[in-house]
Amino acid sequence: MGWALAVQGGAGGISPSMPPELREPRLATLRRCLDLGGAALRAGRPALDVVELVVRELENCPHFNAGRGSVLTTDGTVEMEACIMEGRTLRCGAVAGVSTVVNPVSLARVVMEKTPHVFLAFNGAEAFARGLDTKDARYFITDASIERLRQEKEASKVQLDYTQPTKGQSPQETPPPTDGNSRIGTVGCVAVDSAGSLAAATSTGGYPNKMIGRIGDTPIVGAGTYANTLCAVSVTGRGEQVIRHTVAHDVAALMEHLGLPLRDAAARVVASAPRGSAGLVAVSAEGEVCMVYNTPGMFRACITENGHTEVGIWADTGL
């Protein structure tokens, strides 16, 4: 079926009433990612290069919760996470607790290629990042992220997914948002190139008002990110639930051990996770694309060699 690429910009309680001025910049970035990634795949670049290229673009967009758009911890600091994985070799790299690196996904790739390790975090990751593009806190800590944290502290809770803070309610009880502008949600990309090689990459800023030192599913291989010779998967949602359900790896396991096609495997895994907790994008070695979620919406997009293109948020609308 040829090459294929899928992108996600976070799943959660994304309301159809989200104003255009909040929705359109995100959709425009997803379309730009399809153009960028599609051109790279058409030019014969390997899947590993393409997923890094696309996730860097998402990290540079202030409208998504990764890189420049990362949300703040309870102490008003940034702690970013990222992971990248190559399916053919199972090589992978991950970072967490990063506070100055402009593109954490590229640091994760350097960990994969330049160290004997898989995962570096906090001070060790920051020290290893010397030579990469870094910025001081002013680049990441914006008026918007400060206001987001203020709202979370006022509501006395951490903010999950795209839900708005509401006083007196737990994260599980939070109603759909009024405008969906919490900027919560992992970003990620999966790709299969013309040689059939697969790769996945995921990046996030975590939850607003999260505890210092909290690490979610994004950098955990098999939870938020996974690739082998059968498929590549990038997950978004409630990190603790994604970790408990090993969402990314389970898709590959169902394909390998039960012989399920990608769509069936992904649908079964997401359906088995608690409702409202997970979404994913995935591609198979044959170029099949799957974008599935059990939340009200998920920012997502895909492009394939045979000309299929899709950009969407909700299941029952034109977007």
Side-chain angles (χ1 to χ4, degrees):
M1 295 176 64
W3 58 259
L5 174 138
V7 185
Q8 56 93 355
I14 309 170
S15 172
S17 65
M18 175 184 280
E21 63 269 20
L22 303 178
R23 180 180 69 239
E24 290 305 322
R26 294 175 169 106
L27 294 174
T29 301
L30 292 179
R31 294 185 183 101
R32 189 164 65 249
C33 286
L34 294 189
D35 291 341
L36 190 68
L41 287 166
R42 277 190 291 270
R45 294 187 66 177
L48 187 67
D49 288 354
V50 174
V51 297
E52 180 188 6
L53 179 71
V54 170
V55 171
R56 284 174 60 94
E57 187 72 15
L58 292 163
E59 289 174 336
N60 292 339
C61 174
H63 302 287
F64 289 110
N65 178 18
R68 180 74 185 275
S70 291
V71 295
L72 305 182
T73 70
T74 187
D75 282 4
T77 58
V78 169
E79 292 184 352
M80 298 173 285
E81 309 166 4
C83 184
I84 191 166
M85 187 165 187
E86 182 179 55
R88 179 178 54 83
T89 62
L90 298 183
R91 292 190 306 158
C92 48
V95 294
V98 175
S99 59
T100 67
V101 179
V102 173
N103 295 114
V105 69
S106 293
L107 178 57
R109 184 168 181 179
V110 175
V111 171
M112 178 184 80
E113 295 182 334
K114 303 296 184 181
T115 80
H117 309 304
V118 168
F119 201 154
L120 293 181
F122 297 95
N123 290 343
E126 285 287 334
F128 188 68
R130 292 170 186 160
L132 296 182
D133 189 12
T134 59
K135 302 284 187 182
D136 65 24
R138 289 173 295 178
Y139 177 82
F140 303 98
I141 300 177
T142 64
D143 290 343
S145 61
I146 292 170
E147 173 61 18
R148 179 76 263 174
L149 179 61
R150 186 196 65 77
Q151 292 176 13
E152 303 314 323
K153 286 183 176 292
E154 188 176 274
S156 298
K157 66 179 181 63
V158 296
Q159 181 62 43
L160 303 178
D161 303 315
Y162 276 91
T163 37
Q164 290 291 307
T166 303
K167 291 183 179 180
Q169 293 179 305
S170 71
Q172 290 77 18
E173 297 169 333
T174 305
T178 56
D179 66 9
N181 193 36
S182 66
R183 295 196 311 159
I184 308 310
T186 310
V187 302
C189 179
V190 292
V192 57
D193 59 33
S194 56
S197 296
L198 291 146
T202 315
S203 183
T204 189
Y207 294 155
N209 202 26
K210 67 179 180 179
M211 292 176 63
I212 292 291
R214 180 263 184 188
I215 296 173
D217 65 290
T218 291
I220 298 178
V221 175
T225 311
Y226 192 72
N228 64 7
T229 58
L230 297 174
C231 65
V233 185
S234 175
V235 184
T236 177
R238 299 178 185 266
E240 283 71 18
Q241 293 291 0
V242 173
I243 292 169
R244 294 182 183 113
H245 290 264
T246 59
V247 171
H249 181 267
D250 277 8
V251 175
L254 289 176
M255 293 179 70
E256 180 178 0
H257 299 298
L258 294 185
L260 295 184
L262 176 66
R263 288 182 180 275
D264 292 350
R268 181 179 296 192
V269 170
V270 171
S272 70
R275 184 173 179 82
S277 69
L280 64 83
V281 292
V283 294
S284 71
E286 290 73 36
E288 182 182 12
V289 175
C290 181
M291 304 186 291
V292 61
Y293 50 96
N294 64 16
T295 60
M298 180 172 75
F299 282 95
R300 64 196 188 274
C302 69
I303 186 170
T304 66
E305 186 173 4
N306 66 13
H308 175 71
T309 300
E310 179 181 338
V311 179
I313 308 172
W314 305 284
D316 56 352
T317 72
L319 292 175

